[in-house]
Amino acid sequence: MTTVTTKHKALLDRLGIADINPGACTGPEGWIRDPNGTEIESLNPTTGEPIAKVVMATPDTYETVMAHAHETFDTWRRLPAPYRGQIVRDLGDALREHKEPLGDLISLEMGKIRAEGHGEVQEMIDICDFAVGLSRQLYGLTMNSERPQHRMYEQWHPLGVVGIITAFNFPMAVWAWNTAIAAVCGDPVLWKPSTDTPLTAIAVQNVANQVMSKHGLSGIFTLAVGSGSGVGETMLHDPRAALVSFTGSTPVGRHVSEAVAKRFGSTILELGGNNAIIVCEDADLDMATRAILFGAVGTAGQRCTSTRRVIVQKSIADELCQRLVKAYQQVQIGDPLDDKTLMGPLVNASAVEDMFGAIEKIKQQGGTLLTGGKKLVDKGPFFVEPVIARMPAQTAIVEEETFAPILYVLDYDTLEDAMAIHNGVPQGLSSAIFTDSMRTAEAFLSAAGSDCGIANVNIGTSGAEIGGAFGGEKETGGGRESGSDAWKGYMRRQTNTINWSKELPLAQGIEFG
């Protein structure tokens, strides 16, 4: 195995990750090393060096894994939901036991700082707790029938195998959001993770295998590490994947939506974000500065909820910019496994290229860099300075999502102007406003205010809790995951009417014969 230090090798050994890892699994004792699979190397973005190799699954291996999951569905859906909840409870406990090494692996393979890596595992634990309670609900409504001595109600049934396609930036948590809910709903899952972060997926599968083995189960949690054109595309066209939950870019998400809809499958789409914070004249600038800093710099700007735009009232724009520049200059950039680090590297060379392509467009479109914009090659190949760019208007580049630590600052005169700027982008994920005015806050949250799926007052755009439904509108896809009643997306609704009379009346008073 090629590892950077002995410490990293010990980490991988704790999680059961060998030199060359099979990229597909049907459950305990079910690892499959595809003889025709291509080897990929997982890279450490801090150094650009390889960590370990993974043998990707081909469509043939995908077929083996999907067939097993689909067969499992028939028995899993018959088990009482509270029993399914017990399995998810045990998964949460197993994640607690492995929280430290799993969190460190996220930092090693993806590059987010250690606090965020551990926070991501905590999200997995939290959603398991949420789902356990949910397993004793999954409620339907009872309605009054217009016909005498009839009872009408609805119930929810398991949907089928859920295909989960995740992105590199949350290599574990998004799987857990979907998996914990799907499992208590009676759906097995088949996971296709990002090929940028395959080791995290294999480590999580190892944990899930321990839980399934304890209960004599298999096929509830399954894995197929593979390319988008191979495994991903096969899943999209597979009618056994009753639901495909996709997290990624808007262009790819559009293709996912079209392919799955063509076969009348269901989708949950978590796509692009271009999240803004409006800062009003009466805002607490200390709070606003801290929220903007974490939102824009956290995870090196590689969150779907990262703060991309700050829309600030003209009278305080200069002061806020000065505060932000000062705060940015204090950000410790370096090895994400060092507890003093506040920002790690971008995930790969393509991400660096995209960032500097965006910086060129900023300059061409009249923007001014207030701070940042350099490559930090002395730290590693994928390290960059975070950027603050003051923009004359919401130009084409500002309306795009660049997955990098670039923050655009725009001025506004009136709240109406601010809302027009805020809503004037194709994406609609997360949003926030900083104000001490109740009227302004309520206007922002009203039907005529923020058009995003998430709207916050006096907190930033990132850091959503699992208790609320997560997702956005417009080109963000319209999907919802995690809390509230997002569980309904993983089930099928059935309306039932029971006639306990000795007559056969028809609805709407129709008489026949």
Side-chain angles (χ1 to χ4, degrees), residues 91-120:
L91 177 62
D93 287 343
L95 292 170
R96 284 181 174 90
E97 294 174 9
H98 294 85
K99 179 178 177 179
E100 182 182 357
L102 286 174
D104 284 358
L105 179 59
I106 292 173
S107 296
L108 175 64
E109 188 176 38
M110 183 267 151
K112 65 175 61 174
I113 62 173
R114 196 166 186 262
E116 291 187 75
H118 286 219
E120 182 167 341

Side-chain angles (χ1 to χ4, degrees), residues 70-88:
H70 185 63
E71 181 181 1
T72 299
F73 173 59
D74 187 54
T75 54
W76 183 240
R77 66 180 171 178
R78 297 172 189 267
L79 297 173
Y83 174 79
R84 300 192 298 253
Q86 179 63 48
I87 308 305
V88 173

Side-chain angles (χ1 to χ4, degrees), residues 101-430:
L102 286 174
D104 284 358
L105 179 59
I106 292 173
S107 296
L108 175 64
E109 188 176 38
M110 183 267 151
K112 65 175 61 174
I113 62 173
R114 196 166 186 262
E116 291 187 75
H118 286 219
E120 182 167 341
V121 183
Q122 187 62 49
E123 277 193 68
M124 301 170 74
I125 295 165
D126 292 344
I127 195 64
C128 287
D129 288 349
F130 177 87
V132 172
L134 185 64
S135 70
R136 293 186 178 270
Q137 300 179 56
L138 302 178
Y139 48 82
L141 299 174
T142 298
M143 291 76 74
N144 285 300
S145 173
E146 67 182 65
R147 290 169 282 186
Q149 295 179 309
H150 282 59
R151 183 163 70 90
M152 186 163 60
Y153 67 99
E154 68 179 21
Q155 57 182 336
W156 294 82
H157 293 304
L159 188 62
V161 178
V162 173
I164 304 172
I165 302 175
T166 58
F168 75 89
N169 59 330
F170 279 84
M172 295 188 191
V174 173
W175 171 82
W177 287 0
N178 285 276
T179 295
I181 304 298
V184 299
C185 289
D187 305 326
V189 301
L190 198 165
W191 182 16
K192 193 207 92 62
S194 167
T195 51
D196 283 318
T197 51
L199 298 181
T200 57
I202 292 170
V204 170
Q205 184 67 40
N206 280 336
V207 174
N209 284 349
Q210 294 171 19
V211 175
M212 286 188 286
S213 180
K214 173 183 173 183
H215 291 272
L217 296 169
S218 181
I220 312 302
F221 314 114
T222 66
L223 174 69
V225 178
S227 67
S229 59
V231 168
E233 200 66 26
T234 303
M235 180 187 289
L236 301 187
H237 296 280
D238 189 344
R240 293 169 297 181
L243 168 68
V244 175
S245 176
F246 172 80
T247 303
S249 70
T250 296
V252 177
R254 183 174 286 110
H255 170 67
V256 170
S257 177
E258 292 170 352
V260 177
K262 190 173 291 187
R263 60 174 175 83
F264 297 106
S266 299
T267 55
I268 295 174
L269 302 174
E270 299 292 354
L271 311 178
N274 194 348
N275 315 294
I277 295 178
I278 296 175
V279 183
C280 301
E281 196 170 25
D282 61 353
D284 182 325
L285 291 187
D286 286 337
M287 287 178 60
T289 300
R290 292 199 301 273
I292 294 166
L293 179 67
F294 175 70
V297 173
T299 324
Q302 297 172 115
R303 288 175 176 243
C304 52
T305 55
S306 289
T307 304
R308 310 285 178 201
R309 298 174 295 146
V310 170
I311 305 164
V312 56
Q313 216 284 333
K314 279 186 177 178
S315 64
I316 59 168
D318 289 343
E319 181 182 355
L320 180 62
C321 286
Q322 291 168 7
R323 287 171 176 257
L324 287 172
V325 169
K326 183 178 179 181
Y328 269 52
Q329 290 172 348
Q330 297 174 38
V331 172
Q332 184 85 17
I333 302 171
D335 183 349
L337 285 167
D338 184 336
D339 288 334
K340 296 178 182 178
T341 298
L342 294 180
M343 182 178 131
L346 295 180
V347 68
N348 55 34
S350 294
V352 176
E353 183 179 343
D354 288 346
M355 177 175 176
F356 283 86
I359 289 173
E360 286 305 309
K361 291 179 182 178
I362 290 169
K363 296 173 182 177
Q364 293 167 8
Q365 295 172 22
T368 302
L369 300 190
L370 301 183
T371 189
K374 296 178 182 177
K375 297 178 183 178
L376 301 176
V377 292
D378 57 318
K379 295 183 179 294
F382 310 141
F383 283 93
V384 297
E385 290 181 337
V387 168
I388 301 174
R390 195 145 182 193
M391 303 300 293
Q394 189 147 277
T395 62
I397 187 59
V398 179
E399 294 183 7
E400 298 175 11
E401 180 191 39
T402 303
F403 232 51
I406 298 177
L407 179 69
Y408 303 107
V409 179
L410 303 109
D411 301 347
Y412 77 88
D413 287 311
T414 67
L415 184 61
E416 290 74 17
D417 295 335
M419 290 310 312
I421 296 170
H422 179 280
N423 293 344
V425 295
Q427 309 85 357
L429 179 52
S430 187

